Amino acid sequence: MYQRLIPPLRWHQQVAEGLLEATERDRARIVQAAPVRRLQQKTQVFPLDVQASVRSRLTHSLEVQETGRRIVLAILARVPDPGVPPMTLLSLVEMSCLLHDVGNPPFGHFGEQVIGAWCQQHLPALYPQALGRAMSVAWEPFFTDLCHFDGNAQSLRLVHHLHELDLTLGQLAALCKYPGGAEAQGWRAKRGVYLSEAPVMAEVARRLGLAPGSRHPLVYIMEAADDVSYCIADLEDAVDRRLLSHVELLAALHEAQPDNYMATLITQAEQSRDGFFPAFRFALERDLVALAAQTYLAHHDAILAGRHDEPLLHGQSPAAQALETLRQVARRHVFKRREVESLELEGFAALRGILGTYATLLALPGSEFQAVLEGNGGPGSFLARRLCHRLSARHVRAYRRALAHPDARFADAHDQEWYYRVRLLIDYVSGMTDTYALAEYRLLSAGA
């Protein structure tokens, strides 16, 4: 059933290994990867927060991993023979859950918007400075691609091109939340693959037998696990941070969903000896895990064929409606609070300041940038040389590999070079933790 979708094949390394061995090797590489460790200094809701009790991206990803595991176990209870060892399904989902946020920039989704808006505003002026000509019609798709920063697309880029984990094809596909390639609504309309990784994912889809733009079946499980985890966690962190009182939270939940299901959840949680949030989370997660597994199995054939267009938790069931209620309450009562927005503004200043300083590298003609990157350059390149010294050696290697072979999609080698030079800067800035980005901004603006 799943043999075609989960083979022991990798992009680069071609060695004889069984599926279980290949999956375990993927697991070891992922758990030990630097982007996963870096998640501990990227906060989930409150940027730059020092409270240990508030979730980081790492603790959130561990919770998503556990929820994903529970959904798979519920599915396997009704599909005892999926055609591959059950442990491979468990591991693929768990590791895609652990990796799902590694591409998020500093300051979370707000950071995504800042990077995209900065590119939209400044790249049109930097391009002619570097290339000596105006942007052509042929360049427009690449300009659009650079202006659309997406944490999901950056996760794929990190894993494959920047850190070269050489994961199995099934693990790569299970990480790709929005493969794109189709004009439609919902997740199909979202772009979760950059043009830099589009050839890789097209080849992965071909080798796995996935239709263009279709998700790998296990992506649905990862997506559901993420939805379950963050919707509850964001409100719990807000109460823990005293941004929202317990009484205010209960009132908001009753107001947003005044039905028996939510009322029962709240009453049982209030009466539990375990405490409100542990009991509330346990009961709601239990129902959502069951719902995700039930939906997955009800649409199993369509999901395996790449024809299913809805998330697993989409629908009018009481548990799904409760999840949507949690989203609405967080949006209205947490994310618009002055304290959260103040932290985001601090992140805005840091990211804009860093990007503005490093834009010096994007304005250089290609030959000058290459000279500076090699440690040369004229007397006027003193700033550029010092900025290049701060770039990650791993990111620079990825930039050079991307230029090693001409890409027919670009009008010429100069366009190709500049596209990957911008990617180099975005890779560097988006890979920063919240605290490192703030420290870098302070260093760069010390003399201002």
Side-chain angles (χ1 to χ4, degrees), residues 127-144:
Y127 180 94
Q129 289 184 58
L131 281 80
R133 62 174 186 255
M135 286 186 179
S136 66
V137 175
W139 173 256
E140 289 181 4
F142 300 99
F143 172 68
T144 301

Side-chain angles (χ1 to χ4, degrees), residues 141-159:
F142 300 99
F143 172 68
T144 301
D145 188 61
L146 291 169
C147 293
H148 178 73
F149 184 90
D150 182 272
N152 299 287
Q154 191 67 24
S155 294
L156 180 62
R157 178 164 173 78
L158 263 174
V159 165

Side-chain angles (χ1 to χ4, degrees), residues 91-92 118 120-121 154 168 184 249 258 279 297 308 337 351 415 417 421-422 426 435 445:
S91 189
L92 283 169
W118 185 90
Q120 185 82 36
Q121 181 179 356
Q154 191 67 24
T168 57
L249 173 63
L297 292 168
H308 190 63
R337 288 294 179 104
L351 287 176
D415 275 356
E417 185 279 328
R421 199 194 316 174
V422 179
I426 293 174
T435 50
S445 58

